[in-house]
């Protein structure tokens, strides 16, 4: 076999596949096994601990982004349901009273345009706008948690 050279990403992917194939219990490893593998690869316990902390931090942010994405999709669904209910009522009301749905259709079209723009924003892939929306959501969440904690301390002093 000719001498090949691999990038760090290549090595990582190859090792990841090899570990997945070798693991009998579906890829679950204990911390001692992780320490042993790192030792065999010449990785110091200190570097492993730093890498593990970075991984945990990334996992936390990944989960938070998933919560944010779920929140955005749920909000969009709720807005769509409101749109359907209110506009159905307005159209029926206009048909019964005025025998025409012109006014309510105008409202439905304008509101629908706004809803379509909101849907576009929800599924937009522009990283900068997504990041700004995520940071705003995260800040509101943190402020809400701080207020809840402060109120709890006022109500239940220890």
């Amino acid at each position: 076999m000719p001498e090949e050279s691999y990038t760090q990403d290549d090595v990582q992917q190859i090792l990841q596949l090899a570990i997945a194939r070798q693991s009998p219990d579906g890829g679950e490893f204990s911390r001692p096994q992780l320490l042993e593998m790192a030792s065999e690869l010449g990785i110091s316990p200190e570097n492993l601990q730093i890498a593990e902390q970075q991984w945990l931090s990334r996992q936390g942010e990944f989960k938070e982004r998933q919560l944010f994405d779920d929140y955005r999709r749920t909000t969009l669904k709720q807005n769509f349901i409101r749109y359907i209910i209110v506009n159905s009522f307005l159209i029926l009301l206009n048909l019964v009273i005025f025998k025409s749905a012109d006014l309510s259709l105008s409202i439905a079209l304008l509101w629908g345009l706004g809803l379509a723009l909101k849907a576009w924003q929800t599924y937009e892939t522009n990283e900068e706008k997504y990041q700004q929306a995520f940071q705003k959501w995260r800040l509101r969440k943190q402020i809400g948690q701080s207020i809840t904690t402060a109120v709890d301390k006022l109500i239940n002093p220890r």
Side-chain angles (χ1 to χ4, degrees):
M1 206 168 161
E3 181 90 15
E4 300 251 356
S5 63
Y6 300 101
T7 66
Q8 185 173 352
D9 284 341
D10 295 340
V11 169
Q12 184 178 1
Q13 290 174 16
I14 292 168
L15 289 174
Q16 191 173 19
L17 289 171
I19 289 170
R21 289 178 56 91
Q22 188 168 337
S23 176
D25 55 357
E28 296 290 323
F29 294 96
S30 65
R31 189 150 203 301
Q33 288 174 314
L34 177 64
L35 289 168
E36 182 182 337
M37 285 186 275
S39 174
E40 289 174 2
L41 291 170
I43 299 170
S44 71
E46 296 81 20
N47 281 337
L48 180 64
Q49 185 175 5
I50 291 168
E52 188 176 22
Q53 288 170 348
Q54 287 174 338
W55 179 80
L56 288 170
S57 174
R58 287 182 190 154
Q59 288 298 106
E61 184 166 333
F62 176 74
K63 287 178 183 175
E64 202 169 17
R65 284 184 185 275
Q66 283 182 321
L67 286 173
F68 174 62
D69 291 343
D70 290 344
Y71 166 78
R72 286 173 64 154
R73 286 189 291 272
T74 300
T75 301
L76 181 64
K77 286 177 189 174
Q78 290 170 346
N79 287 339
F80 182 71
I81 290 169
R82 282 187 201 110
Y83 170 81
I84 296 295
I85 292 169
V86 170
N87 283 298
S88 296
F89 173 75
L90 289 175
I91 289 170
L92 287 173
L93 185 65
N94 268 354
L95 286 172
V96 168
I97 294 174
F98 301 113
K99 308 287 188 250
S100 170
D102 293 342
L103 178 62
S104 57
L105 286 177
S106 301
I107 293 170
L109 287 174
L110 289 174
W111 191 349
L113 177 62
L115 191 58
L117 292 173
K118 184 68 175 170
W120 176 271
Q121 183 183 22
T122 298
Y123 293 101
E124 183 174 13
T125 58
N126 182 330
E127 183 61 32
E128 185 178 330
K129 288 183 181 180
Y130 176 87
Q131 189 65 23
Q132 288 171 352
F134 175 67
Q135 293 303 331
K136 284 181 187 177
W137 175 81
R138 183 188 251 177
L139 181 61
R140 282 194 313 262
K141 189 175 151 193
Q142 289 170 347
I143 289 171
Q145 287 173 343
S146 297
I147 291 171
T148 302
T149 302
V151 169
D152 283 347
K153 286 183 181 180
L154 286 173
I155 293 173
N156 299 322
R158 292 177 191 160

